[in-house]
Amino acid sequence: LIRCIKKLWLILKSFKAKVASEEQNQVDQISKCFGPESNQIYTIQQLSDKLDIGCEVIHAVLKEKIKQGSLVQISVKRYCSIELIEKIKTKCVSLVEQNINDSFSVADFKKITCLGRNQAIELLEYLDRSRVTLRVKNYRVLRKNRGWVAILLLFGWKSDIPGGVPGLQNRWNTLISVWWVRLLPLPWKI
C-alpha cells in the first residue's frame, strides 16, 4: 500500500490486498467456465447470462486472467482458455495429416472442432495472427518450421485478377508494389 502523508510517500510492505468472499466466488465461477475440461468459447454477454454476474465484473476478471496467461482473447468479443487453444492446434495438425494437399477448409475445421461457423472463423483468424496457420485463398496451411516464406513478386508474376495487380504489369514496377506477395514453399528452413 502506498500512502501520501504530508507530501511524503510511505510504502507498507506488509499490506496485501484481499478479495471479498463474494468477489472470490464470482472469480471462481468464471474460472470454472474456462477450466481444462471446457471446450467452450465465450463472450462476456454469454457469461453474464449463464452466471448472472454483471458484464463489468466479468470484463475485469477476464482482463486479469489474460494478464496471468490462462485465457486468450481470440477476437474483440470472444475468449477461450489456453488449454483449448492447445487442443485446437493438435486438431489442426491431425486435420492437415488427413488431407492429401496438406491444407484444410473452414468447413473441415468446423466439423472437427464442433464449433459454429462464426466461432470457427474467429478462431482460425486468431491462429493466423499467432502464426500457427496461414490462409491461402479458401484454405489454411500449417506454418511448419517457418518453411513457407512470403516472396515479393520480383519477376512480374501476376495475380488472379485479369491484367495482374495494378502497377505490376511489367517486372520493373514490382519493387514499388511490395504489398502483394505470393507464398512459395522453399526447400530450406528459416
Side-chain angles (χ1 to χ4, degrees):
L1 177 68
I2 300 175
R3 295 181 113 173
C4 181
I5 302 173
K6 293 185 182 181
K7 296 185 182 180
L8 253 153
W9 289 94
L10 298 174
I11 300 174
L12 301 174
K13 292 184 179 179
S14 62
F15 179 79
K16 298 226 179 193
K18 292 185 179 178
V19 179
S21 62
E22 182 181 327
E23 291 173 353
Q24 185 60 44
N25 187 22
Q26 291 175 343
V27 170
D28 292 340
Q29 283 180 333
I30 294 170
S31 297
K32 284 180 186 175
C33 290
F34 293 103
E37 64 277 347
S38 175
N39 289 330
Q40 288 289 328
I41 298 173
Y42 290 104
T43 64
I44 293 176
Q45 188 61 45
Q46 288 172 337
L47 286 171
S48 178
D49 293 343
K50 179 179 181 177
L51 303 174
D52 198 29
I53 300 174
C55 292
E56 300 84 20
V57 174
I58 292 174
H59 184 67
V61 170
L62 292 180
K63 281 179 82 172
E64 189 60 35
K65 293 283 185 186
I66 289 171
K67 285 181 186 176
Q68 292 173 357
S70 61
L71 283 184
V72 174
Q73 184 175 7
I74 61 170
S75 69
V76 176
K77 61 179 184 174
R78 296 196 194 273
Y79 299 85
C80 71
S81 66
I82 294 290
E83 292 88 5
L84 181 60
I85 294 291
E86 293 303 319
K87 288 179 188 175
I88 296 292
K89 286 179 185 178
T90 58
K91 287 182 180 182
C92 286
V93 170
S94 67
L95 195 58
V96 164
E97 289 172 353
Q98 291 173 2
N99 289 338
I100 297 170
N101 56 358
D102 293 337
S103 65
F104 59 92
S105 66
V106 175
D108 298 335
F109 182 78
K110 184 181 135 188
K111 191 183 303 180
I112 201 167
T113 57
C114 300
L115 294 172
R117 183 166 176 82
N118 289 341
Q119 289 180 341
I121 288 173
E122 288 179 358
L123 189 55
L124 283 171
E125 288 173 354
Y126 170 77
L127 292 175
D128 291 343
R129 284 191 310 272
S130 61
R131 299 190 169 271
V132 174
T133 59
L134 178 68
R135 182 177 179 192
V136 180
K137 296 191 180 184
N138 291 332
Y139 295 97
R140 295 295 199 289
V141 183
L142 285 181
R143 294 184 188 228
K144 301 177 201 171
N145 300 323
R146 305 292 184 252
W148 287 82
V149 178
I151 303 269
L152 295 175
L153 296 173
L154 293 175
F155 302 106
W157 294 326
K158 296 190 176 191
S159 72
D160 299 317
I161 304 169
V165 178
L168 293 181
Q169 277 75 26
N170 64 38
R171 72 177 60 202
W172 308 116
N173 291 336
T174 310
L175 293 175
I176 298 168
S177 302
V178 295
W179 59 272
W180 186 257
V181 295
R182 182 172 299 255
L183 298 167
L184 294 176
L186 295 178
W188 63 85
K189 295 177 184 174
I190 295 178

